[in-house]
Amino acid sequence: MNIEINTTITFENILESKTRVTQHVGGTRSGKTYAILQYLIVEAIKSQQTITIVRKTIPSLKRTVIKDFIDILKSIGIWNEADYNVTDRIWSYGDSIIQFVSTDDAEKLRGIKSSILFLEECSEIDEESAFQLMIRTTGKIIMALNPTVSPYHWVRQMQDCERYVTTYKNNPYLEQAVVKAIEDLEHTNQKKWLIYGKGEYAPNDKAIYNFDIVEEYEAEFVAFGLDWGYSQDPTAVVAVYKNGDNLYLEEILYEKGLVLKDIADKLNRLDITKQEEIWCDSSEPRSIEELYRMGFNAKAVKKGPDSIKFGISVLQNHKIHIHKKSQNLINEMYSYQYATDKHGYVTDTPEGGLDHLLDAARYVAMMKLTQKATNKGKYVISIR
């Protein structure tokens, strides 16, 4: 049986690549993921393969990659529900399998062996998880990402790989209405046009913080900061260290779906003592009290008028350094920016959203790094 598929240039790029690792950077609707899935299906049909497709979470896998994967199988007439194990997320074809995996469980990654590996939205995947998967892959490693990732991200630091950039112009199957909506960005939002229209990396000229990346440092511990999360946002914990005007921030925890016991268990593994303060978002006093009763020195941050701007100004008074393994913190630092008004002018108000670890760091700054906090416990008297 002959199968005919309509592909885009991404399919050809993978076939013609000379390196083991390829990165496919795409603007919106470039069709890169769809073409990569087509390539993987072809490889599974042609010869025995163990192919692993990875995203950070199971919901994102189901919502995007698995949906497209099944659509492709149906379009070429080889979809059979009996071939797909829904529980384990494994599709079988003859001696080949294609398995869908998330990086939620780091330990499971150490047992996964692949002949071909596909890391979808690889900028969301931490470097250690990617490393564990890559060293257990014997053949091609394919990585897909959008050009919104920080220049400090491990993906952009990779050597010995070919990088291909595609845009909506490389997808001949787009509806004209979609093409027009994308091209309108050239006249309405230059930055979005650069990223989503042209598929190019754009500098963040509205960034709130300046920072650099470090591997080692010597500094005195200040405190931990904790920002609560659950289903929509992650619970975020950051450690803050200080040496003179230098601040060193290290990501400790960044995870969704954690209840209080989960948070306590993870903090216990860090051997945090009762003397080490954990400054928490004051919006959940009950959680703070319970964490305190579990043996942690949890305290509620005191928020006053304009506390966000105040905390930002305290952090900006220091030279900020981020540990190189704190990938989510690096992403937040790079992306956190000032909002623009309706006329396009940059304001002094930060945009909310990707700021969970930054909020945690801000809590420490407000409670431990201000002049008032520094002088706490001191009493000065003038003698005539």
Side-chain angles (χ1 to χ4, degrees):
M1 178 179 70
N2 291 325
I3 298 174
E4 184 175 311
I5 57 174
N6 297 317
T7 67
T8 64
I9 193 173
T10 297
F11 191 98
E12 303 299 324
N13 288 339
I14 301 171
L15 284 177
E16 297 173 4
S17 63
K18 301 295 190 294
T19 58
R20 179 171 178 248
V21 180
T22 58
Q23 289 188 4
H24 302 268
V25 184
T28 188
R29 302 304 299 272
S30 69
K32 64 183 185 302
T33 299
Y34 202 87
I36 292 169
L37 291 174
Q38 288 177 319
Y39 169 81
L40 297 176
I41 290 169
V42 168
E43 289 298 304
I45 293 172
K46 284 168 48 180
S47 61
Q48 181 178 348
Q49 302 283 354
T50 299
I51 299 171
T52 304
I53 298 174
V54 184
R55 274 204 73 168
K56 184 176 181 180
T57 67
I58 297 298
S60 59
L61 268 174
K62 292 179 177 178
R63 187 174 60 251
T64 57
V65 187
I66 294 177
K67 180 181 179 298
D68 286 345
F69 179 78
I70 293 174
D71 286 346
I72 294 170
L73 293 180
K74 288 179 178 178
S75 71
I76 60 179
I78 62 170
W79 168 250
N80 185 336
E81 287 189 11
D83 296 334
Y84 182 61
N85 184 319
V86 177
T87 303
D88 296 328
R89 298 179 299 282
I90 296 176
W91 178 71
S92 302
Y93 187 91
D95 294 327
S96 293
I97 66 166
I98 295 182
Q99 55 188 340
F100 298 86
V101 176
S102 78
T103 58
D104 289 339
D105 190 340
E107 288 304 315
K108 286 185 179 179
L109 300 182
R110 300 176 186 275
I112 295 174
K113 297 180 180 179
S114 314
S115 52
I116 303 175
L117 175 66
F118 173 33
L119 301 177
E120 165 68 333
E121 297 294 350
C122 59
S123 59
E124 297 177 351
I125 299 172
D126 65 275
E127 186 173 8
E128 178 61 23
S129 295
F131 172 75
Q132 293 299 333
L133 289 160
M134 292 168 74
I135 61 173
R136 291 169 175 81
T137 301
T138 57
K140 283 184 179 290
I141 297 171
I142 304 166
M143 309 171 76
L145 66 151
N146 293 315
T148 53
V149 63
S150 158
Y152 306 101
H153 198 286
W154 66 269
V155 169
R156 289 184 63 178
Q157 302 297 318
M158 282 189 71
Q159 306 295 319
D160 301 322
C161 67
E162 288 185 87
R163 291 182 172 89
Y164 301 93
V165 177
T166 54
T167 71
Y168 70 99
K169 290 184 177 181
N170 299 116
N171 186 352
Y173 311 108
L174 279 182
E175 303 89 343
Q176 189 55 39
V178 176
V179 172
K180 183 181 183 305
I182 296 171
E183 291 182 341
D184 283 347
L185 291 173
E186 185 176 8
H187 309 290
T188 60
N189 191 315
Q190 274 294 311
K191 184 175 179 181
K192 286 187 177 180
W193 167 245
L194 192 67
I195 296 170
Y196 300 113
K198 300 178 71 176
E200 297 178 6
Y201 294 110
N204 191 353
D205 53 2
K206 297 185 292 182
I208 292 175
Y209 296 112
N210 294 315
F211 68 100
D212 63 12
I213 311 298
V214 295
E215 292 189 44
E216 298 179 353
Y217 54 87
E218 292 185 5
E220 182 180 349
F221 176 74
V222 178
F224 295 103
L226 187 154
D227 191 51
W228 305 105
Y230 184 63
S231 57
Q232 298 299 317
D233 297 324
T235 296
V237 178
V238 65
V240 179
Y241 300 84
K242 189 174 187 296
N243 185 346
D245 291 333
N246 295 284
L247 278 189
Y248 299 88
L249 309 182
E250 191 167 343
E251 176 185 327
I252 299 300
L253 179 63
Y254 193 88
E255 192 172 337
K256 293 181 182 179
L258 299 181
V259 297
L260 196 60
K261 184 181 182 304
D262 299 326
I263 297 171
D265 288 343
K266 291 178 181 293
L267 294 179
N268 272 321
R269 292 177 198 147
L270 300 172
D271 295 325
I272 296 175
T273 68
K274 185 70 175 178
Q275 286 70 44
E276 294 172 322
E277 296 174 334
I278 305 175
W279 288 98
C280 310
D281 182 358
S282 57
S283 64
E284 297 193 21
R286 179 175 177 177
S287 296
I288 296 170
E289 178 61 26
E290 290 184 8
L291 200 59
Y292 182 82
R293 294 185 186 188
M294 290 177 180
F296 298 99
N297 192 7
K299 299 181 176 181
V301 66
K302 297 175 182 177
K303 299 179 182 179
D306 286 331
S307 64
I308 294 178
K309 291 181 181 179
F310 173 65
I312 288 172
S313 68
V314 176
L315 287 171
Q316 288 174 330
N317 285 333
H318 297 80
K319 297 175 183 177
I320 300 174
H321 313 271
I322 311 295
H323 192 277
K324 67 171 293 187
K325 291 187 176 181
S326 301
Q327 192 59 66
N328 294 299
L329 180 54
I330 291 170
N331 294 345
E332 288 192 9
M333 271 282 179
Y334 178 74
S335 302
Y336 196 47
Q337 63 185 23
Y338 290 112
T340 53
D341 62 21
K342 62 181 180 180
H343 303 294
Y345 294 108
V346 179
T347 70
D348 64 349
T349 301
E351 289 182 357
L354 193 63
D355 53 7
H356 316 294
L357 288 160
L358 295 181
D359 280 349
R362 184 167 53 81
Y363 302 152
V364 176
M366 290 191 296
M367 304 309 298
K368 299 294 291 184
L369 301 177
T370 62
Q371 191 64 42
K372 182 178 180 180
T374 302
N375 291 332
K376 188 175 181 181
K378 299 178 181 178
Y379 183 78
V380 178
I381 183 171
S382 298
I383 302 175
R384 291 182 296 176

